Amino acid sequence: MEDLDALIELEDGHFIVDSASGRALLIVYPPGSKGKAVRLSDVLARLHLFGVHGFKELVLEAIVDDADGQPHDIGVFPEPDAVDAKIEIEISEDGMEATAVIQPPLHAGAWISETVLMNALSNARIIYGLKQEWKDQLLEPVQDARTIMRYPIACGHAIEPGTEDRVQYEVDPHPRTVPREGRERVDFRKLNVIPSCEAERLLATVIPGTPGKPGITVRGEIIPVFPLNEVRFIAGKNTRIEMDGLKVFSVKAGQVRIHETTSLMANHIRVDVEDVLRLPAVDFSTGHIDFPGTVVVMGTITDGFEVKAAGDVIIEKSIGNVHVHAGGDILLSEGIIGRGDASLNAGGQIISRFVQSATLYAGSSITIGDAVLHSKLVSGLDISIEEGKGELIGGEAICAGVLRANRIGSRLETPTRIVLGLDPETLNKLRALDQEILAKARTLERITGHLRLIDDARARKKPTDPETEKKLILVKEKHAVLLASLEKQRRKLQDHIEPNPGSSLTTLEAHPGTEVYFGVGILPFRVIGRPTHGLRLTLDGRKIHAGKIG
């Protein structure tokens, strides 16, 4: 109670200026016993602020002095001018929506009329998508509105997208992607599947899509439909196209190979029917193989022999120091132990259970079942080593996209180099350079072998030809210099690969000795000291980001 009494005693006087029927009313309240009284000057300032006139200062002074808390008529309180509601039209960035923004009326001003609304729409050039129910809602006055209100008033018509052409295949277009058990497991027992056909068989049909419909904005502007990609068949070997390009037929029996390419306006599908050559083995009885179709080797290939095919090459047994070239895929049901000189070169993908001491080039992906040891892999797409041990130990792996392996490197800190982001142009340059390096290396090996024979003959005190030996030594030195120069060019070419933001590496375990490069101008990632587990490397701007799997 004492606090309340003190508060009342200290309260200052105050006043109110009110209005009623155009007259100004002044109410002055007295202060507490210890408070400050209202000053006449403060009252006059308030009256001038409100525009009150017709008052007398002597009367005001008496009211202030009395401070009786009662209203006193002191003069004229001018009423403000009425302000009608205002309207603005806002249009969305895409031109598909128009919104009316209403500033409410003030002091008994008028609401938006239909004439005002239509003028606003005309000024904003709104000619399409006006909704009558929205218009009626907007024209209905809102009583005692105090804040800005927003009303949808028109909407455009969105594009109605069409459907793209699709292809109905009568044969499996991607047979090598089907034999999988679980997410990433490849069934190596089914790699020899060849999609085949008889003569005069329908292979594929284009089911035409439907055209889309253009859109229109609230201003009547037409939004064109982007043209959809169309499917176009290309007649390849032993095929013909009928029905205005909508159907493709085989001309003869053989293996069906389908190659799809996408351009800006169309998807081109080339269909070939390849001859199939089946061999029990490749050895001295067959010689080198160069076949314009697909080659299936049911046995093995003797060291030193070469197999070339315009289509696929399928080998059902392990191979060694051999060279295989395929315009399509290379499929090894078992694997390759190349002893440093073997090579596989495919325009498509390469699939093998294991690889040791060999060079692999694939225009598409490389999938290895169990392990890659001391080899060179170059892929125009992805590299996957995830079956069994899933090991990548030693050598070099280069790919355009994603590399996945269970383990990279070994406890012995075997140097293992990985380069990610390879572009198609550099892939072709590397392929040509490596073929030249292989040819020079083979020549150098043969020369070295001849010199070794001369040394053996000399040791057995048999006659030798000093002139021949001298020539061989000169040729050996020349080829050694050439080989070193080519290797230097190769490394320089790798070091200038442009970074690809879509490249990445994923591994469960990476050992010291592992180096990962993402292209020119980016510091490599190196595993040092101890193994790294659950590693995922991606490109973050101009830096390598090391994260965890999962």
Side-chain angles (χ1 to χ4, degrees), residues 312-326:
D312 300 336
V313 174
I314 301 171
I315 303 169
E316 298 183 4
K317 298 293 182 181
S318 295
I319 56 176
N321 185 13
V322 301
H323 304 283
V324 180
H325 302 261

Side-chain angles (χ1 to χ4, degrees), residues 209-353:
T210 56
K213 295 181 180 179
I216 184 170
T217 70
V218 294
R219 285 177 166 167
E221 298 160 339
I222 301 299
I223 306 172
V225 178
F226 288 107
L228 298 173
N229 279 5
E230 298 179 339
V231 174
R232 293 286 181 267
F233 283 133
I234 299 174
K237 285 192 272 184
N238 302 315
T239 59
R240 72 172 187 278
I241 295 173
E242 295 183 3
M243 297 287 292
D244 297 326
L246 298 181
K247 293 181 181 291
V248 58
F249 291 83
S250 62
V251 173
K252 63 183 294 186
Q255 178 199 6
V256 181
R257 294 184 66 240
I258 294 170
H259 181 66
E260 301 175 0
T261 57
T262 302
S263 67
L264 188 61
M265 299 299 295
N267 295 332
H268 299 278
I269 300 177
R270 178 187 170 96
V271 184
D272 296 283
V273 175
E274 303 274 11
D275 293 324
V276 179
L277 174 65
R278 297 180 182 273
L279 299 168
V282 175
D283 51 26
F284 290 98
S285 64
T286 62
H288 297 305
I289 302 298
D290 190 347
F291 188 67
T294 287
V295 175
V296 179
V297 183
M298 293 172 283
T300 188
I301 302 174
T302 300
D303 285 356
F305 280 86
E306 188 172 294
V307 175
K308 290 184 179 180
D312 300 336
V313 174
I314 301 171
I315 303 169
E316 298 183 4
K317 298 293 182 181
S318 295
I319 56 176
N321 185 13
V322 301
H323 304 283
V324 180
H325 302 261
D329 301 337
I330 295 177
L331 311 169
L332 307 183
S333 296
E334 294 189 6
I336 178 169
I337 301 176
R339 294 186 289 282
D341 191 35
S343 65
L344 306 180
N345 199 320
Q349 64 178 327
I350 295 176
I351 301 178
S352 177
R353 190 183 295 274

Side-chain angles (χ1 to χ4, degrees), residues 56-71:
K56 296 180 179 179
E57 284 195 29
L58 289 175
V59 174
L60 293 179
E61 186 176 1
I63 295 171
V64 170
D65 288 343
D66 291 343
D68 58 5
Q70 298 300 315

Side-chain angles (χ1 to χ4, degrees), residues 159-220:
I159 290 174
E160 295 181 22
T163 59
E164 293 188 335
D165 293 353
R166 62 184 181 89
V167 181
Q168 180 176 308
Y169 289 103
E170 304 301 327
V171 294
D172 189 347
H174 307 293
R176 309 271 149 67
T177 60
V178 172
R180 291 184 177 270
E181 302 169 0
R183 184 181 171 195
E184 292 292 340
R185 294 181 59 82
V186 178
D187 188 346
F188 285 87
R189 297 168 299 180
K190 298 180 180 178
L191 291 183
N192 58 355
V193 173
I194 297 177
S196 59
C197 68
E198 302 82 27
E200 301 301 324
R201 178 183 172 183
L202 174 64
L203 302 178
T205 303
V206 173
I207 309 299
T210 56
K213 295 181 180 179
I216 184 170
T217 70
V218 294
R219 285 177 166 167

Side-chain angles (χ1 to χ4, degrees), residues 1-9:
M1 290 295 291
E2 292 180 0
D3 291 342
L4 180 59
D5 291 341
L7 184 63
I8 293 173
E9 288 177 355

